[in-house]
């Protein structure tokens, strides 16, 4: 009994000691500490290995098995972040992070995210926070104008737009709309006949979306691309594939065309692809997740020529437009198709504004009911930097990529695998270099006769060595059977000196690997 009384007193004491979960002055004090912590992190970010060097399960060994019974001070928690969390981070904001695609961050994006979190509105419909909905329609029209999207994609032209969390969400929503529209014509029992098309370079989110919306796995088409078309999807091959499916009694449903594929930033020819799709009543979605941001620059806008023939278009400002994760912009020509597939209207959400049909209820444009006030973040970015500066940021990254590509070109041991269109450089140690390092006839014959495994193995070892150094982080792709290294430039802190250093790291590790082959 005595121990129970003691525990009860402990609970009462800790309850009295605990401040309000949202005390303004305590928020101010701790908030300043966290801002200082993050600012110092950015200032010293280059001292950390870019790719985390920890082993699986490392954190369980460092942290307690259960949550603390009593409150702990923010000072202690931040020290644990420094000591235990940061070692397990891959530092995406490092100026030496060149893997995948950039995940840009900015002061404006960060402050916008603070406002988003600070207001913490749950903007499922207009009534939930009118400003959240109306700002979203305005800022999306701004960005649509910057991209010179056809008026048919804008609210002013009977289209519409919405902020999603990711490309996968955007594709799931549009594919669901396309599915239901088609099934209303052919009968829901025929869902097993629907076919989805992309290329072997299309992001895997297309396949994931197909699985989610109920497309039969056998009806997913990843059409092969070739180096002769720079790994872009061929309209002729698409047409042939579609015709074969129709002859087999299947129903073409959805085409995803890509502007800036993940592996080599290939650009699918929108106009001709849309022509093929429209012959067969297919929904065309344009995935411009990474490269779409560049199209605010007049010199890159031609890459999306033909978008007027598409049904939907998406890009991710969190990749290359400084809006911080997460922020995916989706424009659609026919918002009613989305609403028809995704809306629910429970009594507890009924209100006069919705009944008037004069407002947008974004809950009906997305998978989830709840949604964040992402628009204020994008609004801050566009206002804080302006169109001209945003264009120049992108141009600067492209210029840095040209610099890196030039460095690769000056070293005869390497080759650029695909022409650079944006700020990605795909390169590798060339087969001729490896054949010289393997002068025996058998090895030489293997290389010349399409035995790409030796070339690929050397380039794989090179990437492992680069990333193992901790000084630089790059990623890879396999295209046309070739293992290639990807240097994706665009981190917010990257400067010319980091490009020079990255190339020096590549050369040093190539020297060591090739020396062992002599």
């Amino acid at each position: 009994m005595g121990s129970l009384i003691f525990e009860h007193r402990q609970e009462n004491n800790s309850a009295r000691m605990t401040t309000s979960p949202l005390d303004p002055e305590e928020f101010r004090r701790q908030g300043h500490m966290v801002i200082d912590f993050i600012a110092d992190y950015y200032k010293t970010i280059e001292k950390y290995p870019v790719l985390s060097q920890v082993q699986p399960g490392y954190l369980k060994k460092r942290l307690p098995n259960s949550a603390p019974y009593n409150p702990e001070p923010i000072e202690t928690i931040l020290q644990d972040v420094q000591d235990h969390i940061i070692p397990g981070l891959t530092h995406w904001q490092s100026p030496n992070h060149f893997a995948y695609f950039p995940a840009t961050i900015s002061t404006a994006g960060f402050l916008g995210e603070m406002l988003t979190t600070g207001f913490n509105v749950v903007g499922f419909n207009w009534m939930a926070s009118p400003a959240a909905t109306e700002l979203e329609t305005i800022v999306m029209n701004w960005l649509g104008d910057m991209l010179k999207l056809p008026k048919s994609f804008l609210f002013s032209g009977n289209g519409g737009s919405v902020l999603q969390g990711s490309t996968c969400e955007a594709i799931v929503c549009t594919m669901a709309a396309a599915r239901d529209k088609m099934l209303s014509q052919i009968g829901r029992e025929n869902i097993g006949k629907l076919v989805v098309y992309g290329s072997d370079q299309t992001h895997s989110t297309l396949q994931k979306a197909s699985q989610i919306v109920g497309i039969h796995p056998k009806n997913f088409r990843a059409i092969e691309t070739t180096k002769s078309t720079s790994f872009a999807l061929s309209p002729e091959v698409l047409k042939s594939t579609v015709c074969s499916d129709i002859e087999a009694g299947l129903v073409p449903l959805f085409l995803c065309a890509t502007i800036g594929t993940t592996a080599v930033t290939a650009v699918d020819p929108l106009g001709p692809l849309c022509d093929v799709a429209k012959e067969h009543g297919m929904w065309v979605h344009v995935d411009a997740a990474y490269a779409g941001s560049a199209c605010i620059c007049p010199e890159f806008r031609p890459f999306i020529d033909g978008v007027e023939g598409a049904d939907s278009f998406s890009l991710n400002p969190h990749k290359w437009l400084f809006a911080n994760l997460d922020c995916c912009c989706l424009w659609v020509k026919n918002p009613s198709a989305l609403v028809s597939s995704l809306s629910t209207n429970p009594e507890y959400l009924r209100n006069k504004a919705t009944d008037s049909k004069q407002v947008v209820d974004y809950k009906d444009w997305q998978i989830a009911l709840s949604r964040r006030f992402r628009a204020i973040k994008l609004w801050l970015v566009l206002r804080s930097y302006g169109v001209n500066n945003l264009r120049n940021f992108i141009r600067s990254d492209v210029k840095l990529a040209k610099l890196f590509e030039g460095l690769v070109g000056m070293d005869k041991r390497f080759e650029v695998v695909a022409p650079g269109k944006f700020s990605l450089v795909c390169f590798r140690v060339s087969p001729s270099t490896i054949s010289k390092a393997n002068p025996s006839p058998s090895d030489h014959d293997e290389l010349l006769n399409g035995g790409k495994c030796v070339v690929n193995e050397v380039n794989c070892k090179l990437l492992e060595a680069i990333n193992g150094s901790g000084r630089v982080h790059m990623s890879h792709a396999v295209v046309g059977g070739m293992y290639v290294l990807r240097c994706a430039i665009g981190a917010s802190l990257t400067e010319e000196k980091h490009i020079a250093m990255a190339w020096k790291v590549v050369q040093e590790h190539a020297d060591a690997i090739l020396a062992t082959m002599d």
Side-chain angles (χ1 to χ4, degrees), residues 401-431:
K402 292 294 183 188
L403 171 62
F404 188 86
E405 187 174 319
L407 292 171
V408 174
M410 287 190 292
D411 189 328
K412 300 306 179 185
R413 299 173 301 172
F414 291 85
E415 64 178 4
V416 174
V417 173
K421 296 183 179 69
F422 303 101
S423 65
L424 173 71
V425 182
C426 294
F427 68 102
R428 66 173 181 166
V429 177
S430 69

Side-chain angles (χ1 to χ4, degrees), residues 92-95 102-106 322 324 397 490-495:
W92 283 73
Q93 302 315 314
S94 169
T104 51
I105 194 169
S106 64
F322 306 97
N324 302 30
D397 289 338
S492 304
L493 296 171
T494 301
E495 300 174 7

Side-chain angles (χ1 to χ4, degrees), residues 261-323:
T261 59
T262 300
V264 295
T265 60
V267 174
D268 292 338
L270 295 187
L273 290 173
C274 288
D275 290 342
V276 173
K278 291 310 168 187
E279 285 181 33
H280 304 286
M282 298 166 63
W283 183 296
V284 180
H285 178 74
V286 178
D287 172 14
Y290 156 70
S293 295
C295 295
I296 67 170
C297 302
E299 64 269 33
F300 294 114
R301 175 56 178 76
F303 283 122
I304 59 171
D305 284 353
V307 69
E308 60 275 7
D311 298 280
S312 52
F313 176 89
S314 65
L315 67 84
N316 295 354
H318 63 237
K319 277 191 167 68
W320 205 11
L321 210 58
F322 306 97

Side-chain angles (χ1 to χ4, degrees), residues 168 171-172 175-176 179 191 194-198 204-217 219-221 253-254 256:
C168 190
I171 295 179
V172 167
M175 194 182 294
R179 175 200 62 193
I191 188 171
L194 301 181
V195 187
V196 169
Y197 301 86
S204 60
T205 54
L206 180 65
Q207 185 174 7
K208 185 169 186 174
S210 299
Q211 294 169 192
I212 291 170
V213 305
I215 304 302
H216 195 291
N219 291 349
F220 177 79
R221 305 283 180 265
L253 173 70
F254 191 95
C256 182

Side-chain angles (χ1 to χ4, degrees), residues 56-79:
Y58 91 99
L59 196 55
K60 187 177 181 180
K61 300 172 183 175
R62 297 187 180 204
L63 297 186
N65 291 327
S66 58
Y69 185 75
N70 290 315
E72 295 186 3
I74 188 66
E75 293 86 350
T76 300
I77 298 169
L78 287 179
Q79 188 60 54

Side-chain angles (χ1 to χ4, degrees), residues 335-366:
S336 63
L338 281 185
V339 173
S340 177
S341 286
L342 304 172
S343 64
T344 55
N345 295 291
E347 178 62 32
Y348 54 82
L349 292 183
R350 289 201 60 184
N351 61 85
K352 289 182 179 179
T354 295
D355 291 343
S356 75
K357 309 293 185 185
Q358 294 180 357
V359 300
V360 174
D361 286 342
Y362 274 127
K363 70 180 179 63
D364 300 329
W365 295 52
Q366 62 175 32

